[in-house]
Amino acid sequence: MAGKYRFTFGPWNIHSGADPFGPTVREEFSYDEKLTFYKKLGFDGVQFHDDDAVPQLDQHSAKQMTDKAQAVKKQLDDHGLAAEFVAPRLWEDPRTIDGGYTSNDPECRKYAIERSKKAIDIANVLDTNLMVLWLAREGTYIREAKDSKQAVDFLVEAIDAMLTHDPDIRLAIEPKPNEPMDQAFIPTTGHAVGLAYLCSDPARVGINIESAHAILAGLDPSDEMGYALAHKKLWTVHLNDQNGLKFDEDKTFGSVDLRRAFNQVRILEKYDYGQNGEFVGLDIKAMRTQKKEVSSKHLANSREIFFHLLDLVRSLDENKVEALINQRDYEELDMLIISHLMGK
Ligand code: XLS
Ligand code: MG
């Protein structure tokens, strides 16, 4: 049963606890140390930002970059791990202060595209054809700062350049409505799917749904998943949880709303998520209060909660559900689900 789902997280999910209001609170594990955690915690693959794999990427020649990526690949092989995806980190460099692909400065837009091509080259060396695009600064702090129609044109131009750079690459857009921006240009799954259809090869542009991002947009993550599944575009997920409309909390999966988490597992299970090689990705941060020795529990716990919910999905009496739907007795259906979640 466990074999059907394969899990991943990114090295940034084990972290030293800094937030916008305070410094680190525990020593950072090195990347090499983090790699030893994966199998122990029950994970099979690693999610990468381009510079998680090749630090100081922009300072390297193409040859240096490839050599470094090859060393990372060897290390993954030694640990029996796969690379799930590579994501270009376009939110830290001075050239991305006003956004990457949608910057008002043509030189900065060019940098963002060139950097993304490098991320694709790294993905190739790591033997994955999936790139995640979290469009961090593609948005505005004030509405008048950018032209929202032109921003979409810029995004299409950038994505087309990536699709042309590598005929095998697949791009999974990770929508998020806000943070760090006030307004993001691609806030929801629907926006991302619409963007995909404007690109030169829509079949190679899909979605990464992060639970917390959907919740921040006031949407139900499992409905977002259904929408992407209907378009055959749910290529990865970032499961986590979020307590209402505030900063992106990246909480342990199911820790705020078990029913909402149950419905995410239910739709993934119903539509055979994973059968085309999709991983169940987690994007979860440990609480700042956690001590270093126990700062990876959030990952193992999220995976365990996923499996408990999977048991509940599989033991739900679907005939009863069906009958109550046919009777349009949604009060009783509500009670059935709540009782099931409570083990009654
Ligand atoms: C931030 C995003 C980020 C992406 C990877 O909110 O979730 O962690 O998943 O670039
Ligand atoms: Mg994410």
Side-chain angles (χ1 to χ4, degrees):
M1 179 208 270
K4 187 182 159 192
Y5 290 101
R6 296 181 305 155
F7 291 79
T8 62
F9 66 86
W12 66 91
N13 292 123
I14 299 177
H15 63 105
S16 43
D19 70 14
F21 304 97
T24 59
V25 289
R26 47 187 179 252
E27 199 193 309
E28 184 83 23
F29 284 104
S30 70
Y31 168 74
D32 290 359
E33 287 172 317
K34 289 179 187 179
L35 266 197
T36 66
F37 282 112
Y38 279 79
K39 284 283 174 182
K40 282 187 221 154
L41 297 171
F43 288 74
D44 295 307
V46 182
Q47 312 169 3
F48 286 96
H49 290 116
D50 49 7
D51 58 2
D52 292 321
V54 183
Q56 269 101 48
L57 172 58
D58 287 324
Q59 289 159 32
H60 294 327
S61 67
K63 160 98 174 68
Q64 285 168 328
M65 189 181 85
T66 309
D67 288 351
K68 175 69 190 149
Q70 270 162 357
V72 172
K73 172 69 174 115
K74 160 123 198 3
Q75 229 182 345
L76 287 176
D77 291 346
D78 291 346
H79 284 89
L81 295 167
E84 186 195 1
F85 65 71
V86 176
R89 200 194 296 274
L90 290 174
W91 51 93
E92 291 186 352
D93 191 88
R95 286 163 288 190
T96 60
I97 287 174
D98 194 25
Y101 313 127
T102 66
S103 170
N104 282 320
D105 180 339
E107 284 305 312
C108 295
R109 294 201 298 278
K110 205 165 139 201
Y111 163 76
I113 292 175
E114 289 313 309
R115 169 79 181 232
S116 306
K117 289 181 186 169
K118 287 183 190 175
I120 293 174
D121 296 343
I122 293 172
N124 274 316
V125 178
L126 299 186
D127 197 25
T128 173
N129 69 352
L130 187 63
M131 182 143 109
V132 160
L133 292 180
W134 172 46
L135 302 169
R137 298 194 191 279
E138 314 305 348
T140 53
Y141 300 110
I142 58 163
R143 173 83 311 291
E144 299 80 8
K146 292 181 186 173
D147 176 330
S148 53
K149 186 269 177 194
Q150 190 184 42
V152 175
D153 298 339
F154 285 152
L155 287 169
V156 171
E157 197 181 304
I159 290 171
D160 283 351
M162 292 177 235
L163 294 172
T164 307
H165 180 70
D166 176 352
D168 292 323
I169 199 72
R170 299 179 307 135
L171 307 173
I173 298 172
E174 180 179 336
K176 182 178 182 182
N178 61 281
E179 198 203 38
M181 308 313 293
D182 177 52
Q183 300 283 355
F185 289 129
I186 306 297
T188 69
T189 305
H191 288 82
V193 169
L195 182 64
Y197 288 121
L198 290 175
C199 295
S200 58
D201 190 357
R204 287 195 287 137
V205 184
I207 314 296
N208 173 17
I209 291 182
E210 176 159 329
S211 324
H213 296 181
I215 297 161
L216 284 169
L219 300 169
D220 180 86
S222 69
D223 282 357
E224 292 290 274
M225 289 173 184
Y227 191 87
L229 285 165
H231 287 86
K232 298 191 172 38
K233 290 194 179 296
L234 189 60
W235 296 345
T236 184
V237 290
H238 269 174
L239 300 185
N240 58 16
D241 214 347
Q242 170 74 27
N243 193 14
L245 303 184
K246 47 187 85 162
F247 64 95
D248 185 7
E249 298 182 302
D250 293 338
K251 280 173 171 284
T252 289
F253 182 55
S255 64
V256 178
D257 188 332
L258 271 181
R259 186 180 187 169
R260 189 168 59 194
F262 167 80
N263 281 310
Q264 291 170 68
V265 178
R266 188 166 181 239
I267 198 158
L268 294 175
E269 172 73 358
K270 183 169 185 188
Y271 292 103
D272 288 322
Y273 182 83
Q275 78 170 1
N276 301 310
E278 303 92 343
F279 284 93
V280 177
L282 302 178
D283 197 359
I284 301 172
K285 301 264 165 54
M287 289 179 229
R288 191 166 192 265
T289 41
Q290 208 65 359
K291 293 185 182 150
K292 181 178 177 181
E293 324 75 82
V294 287
S295 62
S296 61
K297 283 192 171 174
H298 58 303
L299 296 160
N301 291 351
S302 292
R303 182 177 172 278
E304 195 178 324
I305 291 165
F306 182 97
F307 283 119
H308 285 317
L309 291 170
L310 185 60
D311 283 343
L312 288 173
V313 164
R314 289 177 176 169
S315 59
L316 180 66
D317 188 338
E318 291 290 350
N319 291 330
K320 268 194 196 155
V321 172
E322 187 74 28
L324 292 170
I325 289 174
N326 289 339
Q327 293 155 29
R328 213 179 65 201
D329 190 351
Y330 300 151
E331 289 293 353
E332 199 55 40
L333 178 57
D334 201 25
M335 191 59 187
L336 175 74
I337 301 295
I338 293 167
S339 304
H340 190 63
L341 289 174
M342 291 194 300
K344 299 281 174 204

